[in-house]
Amino acid sequence: MSEQTPGQDAGGEGRRVVVVGAGMAGVQTAVALREQGFTGTVTLLGAEPHQPYDRPPLSKAVLLGKAEGSAFDVDFEALGIELRLGREVLGLRPADHELDTAEGPVPYDVLVLATGAEPIRLPGADGVPGVHLLRTLDDAERLRPVLARQHDIVVVGAGWIGAEFATAAREAGCAVTVVEAADRPLAGALPAEVAAPMAAWYADAGAVLRTHTRVERVEPGAVVLDDGTRLPAGAVVVGIGARPATGWLADSGIELGAHREVVADDRLRTSVPDVYAVGDCASFPSGRYGERLLVHHWDNALQGPRTVAANIVGSTPAVYDPVPYFWSEQFGRFVQYVGHHASADTLLWRGDPATPAWTACWLRGDRMVALLAVGRPRDLAQGRRLIESGTPVNPGPLADPSLPMKAAVA
């Protein structure tokens, strides 16, 4: 694939880069291009009318009225980045190097797909009064008065977003019931023995967690469960996952994967020349973990753009193979995860999960490949370095929470 047209310099003078998506991945791509010396045109297209903003504060600070918003502290004008907001992209025609929008075609020389993910909707709940998602600034603004009025709230889904919203709702004084189809919270992210202890956090915070429970239907003011139970609900918040926002790429020739994500290579290039993909909408092959990863977390949207910018600007290929990282604040606990584990990896406990602070480590042979730290930020920092370096470790010292994690180096 050729990213540079003959007669154009490596700095990009005369080239047009268009970035689709004005979330973290899109904004950071535009900024990284300038930081790495790209001198051509940079245009950032955002579907929402708001100034580009960060999403993590939406689930707490914005919801609870502790922040009016979370706009990125970026001077787009000073960086020479053209913002086109409220501009939804409808399609891509790679042969013409053009995007289709309601306002007309947008030409590009290099295109970066950074459209993120969109929440999965609860079947049959669209249009029912009081049903909410939590993905955008507008979603958070609609939910803020719901929390202020201390409604009875039903949260559907005990994943990361469900737990974070339930935390904020309890802090606001709402009665909260969380309904989860699986047998435990975070069933899609963590094995049973690690996720099961987290179920107690809900009761400790005064929230009700109902596992093995599905929603039969949502009515105005109530949620009816599959066992016939009727839960009063002044509001229903749906947090059952997200999928890559790639529907607009139909018929574009861009290869999509099993989860409808854009399939990128190790330089974050797509199957179509001059088109890159980064953040929640794209998967990439990890040489470190030996499999393709689809990472729906903030750190991936921060790190990936630097690789994209380097490959657009430079002649030296930059490979993307990060150690994934994310965090969550829920029920008074700071939860951090780094790495990537598989079911065949060996789980090693570091501390008692019934206590406020503990760590779970995953080993592949004599190397640690992932860890989950609850209230142990030092474990996270030291463990992250061990994972990144691939340093062999001794399980004995690693399992002793009184020892620093670095003492486990073999």
Side-chain angles (χ1 to χ4, degrees):
M1 165 181 151
S2 172
E3 292 93 17
Q4 191 169 327
T5 303
Q8 293 175 332
D9 64 31
E13 186 173 354
R15 282 197 295 166
R16 299 163 298 185
V17 174
V18 175
V19 182
V20 183
M24 170 62 82
V27 167
Q28 290 299 323
T29 298
V31 170
L33 282 165
R34 292 301 188 220
E35 288 178 345
Q36 296 185 32
F38 183 79
T39 58
T41 300
V42 178
T43 302
L44 187 61
L45 304 181
E48 295 181 55
H50 309 290
Q51 281 290 305
Y53 60 88
D54 203 5
R55 294 187 189 279
L58 298 183
S59 62
K60 187 161 187 185
V62 176
L63 268 181
L64 295 175
K66 297 177 180 179
E68 288 305 311
S70 53
F72 291 113
D73 184 18
V74 174
D75 190 334
F76 294 99
E77 186 176 356
L79 290 172
I81 296 169
E82 180 189 6
L83 277 183
R84 298 189 193 176
L85 302 176
R87 182 72 66 92
E88 185 176 2
V89 177
L90 305 174
L92 166 62
R93 290 177 285 111
D96 300 322
H97 274 60
E98 281 189 340
L99 294 163
D100 289 322
T101 75
E103 292 79 9
V106 177
Y108 67 86
D109 294 313
V110 179
L111 177 65
V112 181
L113 308 177
T115 46
E118 56 195 6
I120 297 172
R121 297 178 179 274
L122 186 66
D126 278 357
V128 178
V131 177
H132 299 262
L133 299 167
L134 180 54
R135 183 71 182 179
T136 68
L137 181 59
D138 288 340
D139 292 337
E141 294 292 356
R142 282 189 287 267
L143 277 164
R144 184 155 38 169
V146 173
L147 267 60
R149 290 194 293 267
Q150 297 187 332
H151 279 293
D152 288 347
I153 292 176
V154 174
V155 179
V156 184
W160 300 110
I161 287 292
E164 289 178 5
F165 178 81
T167 299
R170 286 298 300 137
E171 190 172 325
C174 300
V176 178
T177 300
V178 181
V179 177
E180 170 57 51
D183 62 350
R184 61 189 187 275
L186 298 167
L190 298 172
E193 58 266 49
V194 177
M198 297 177 171
W201 299 357
Y202 288 77
D204 291 346
V208 176
L209 172 64
R210 299 186 59 143
T211 57
H212 290 292
T213 304
R214 293 185 179 275
V215 173
E216 180 69 28
R217 65 183 182 277
V218 180
E219 302 172 350
V223 172
V224 180
L225 304 180
D226 57 358
D227 64 359
T229 303
R230 187 183 182 88
L231 302 176
V236 179
V237 177
V238 178
I240 55 175
R243 59 167 62 96
T246 57
W248 65 282
L249 291 170
D251 303 321
S252 67
I254 297 280
E255 181 186 354
L256 301 180
H259 302 282
R260 307 303 293 166
E261 86 281 8
V262 178
V263 175
D265 69 6
D266 60 359
R267 301 185 204 173
L268 299 181
R269 301 174 298 185
T270 73
S271 60
V272 168
D274 304 319
V275 182
Y276 293 81
V278 66
D280 289 5
C281 72
S283 66
F284 56 90
S286 170
R288 184 189 302 274
Y289 289 104
E291 61 183 287
R292 179 166 287 275
L293 301 183
L294 175 60
V295 181
H296 280 190
H297 293 296
W298 186 91
D299 194 62
N300 180 51
L302 175 68
Q303 304 294 341
R306 297 168 187 164
T307 297
V308 170
N311 284 319
I312 292 173
V313 172
S315 55
T316 302
V319 169
Y320 190 57
D321 195 7
V323 173
Y325 166 75
F326 71 89
W327 79 97
S328 176
E329 292 183 81
Q330 49 185 271
F331 307 116
R333 294 167 174 84
F334 188 44
V335 182
Q336 295 172 285
Y337 178 94
V338 65
H340 175 73
H341 71 272
S343 58
D345 295 327
T346 301
L347 174 64
L348 183 147
W349 289 100
R350 183 173 163 82
D352 182 352
T355 63
W358 50 273
T359 297
C361 306
W362 284 268
L363 301 179
R364 193 171 297 175
D366 62 356
R367 286 168 169 76
M368 187 160 55
V369 293
L371 71 84
L372 177 82
V374 177
R376 292 184 66 97
R378 184 172 296 178
D379 278 5
L380 190 289
Q382 295 183 8
R384 186 175 193 169
R385 287 193 286 271
L386 293 175
I387 293 169
E388 289 173 341
S389 64
T391 303
V393 294
N394 285 321
L398 189 63
D400 186 345
S402 69
L403 297 175
M405 192 167 271
K406 59 186 179 184
V409 172

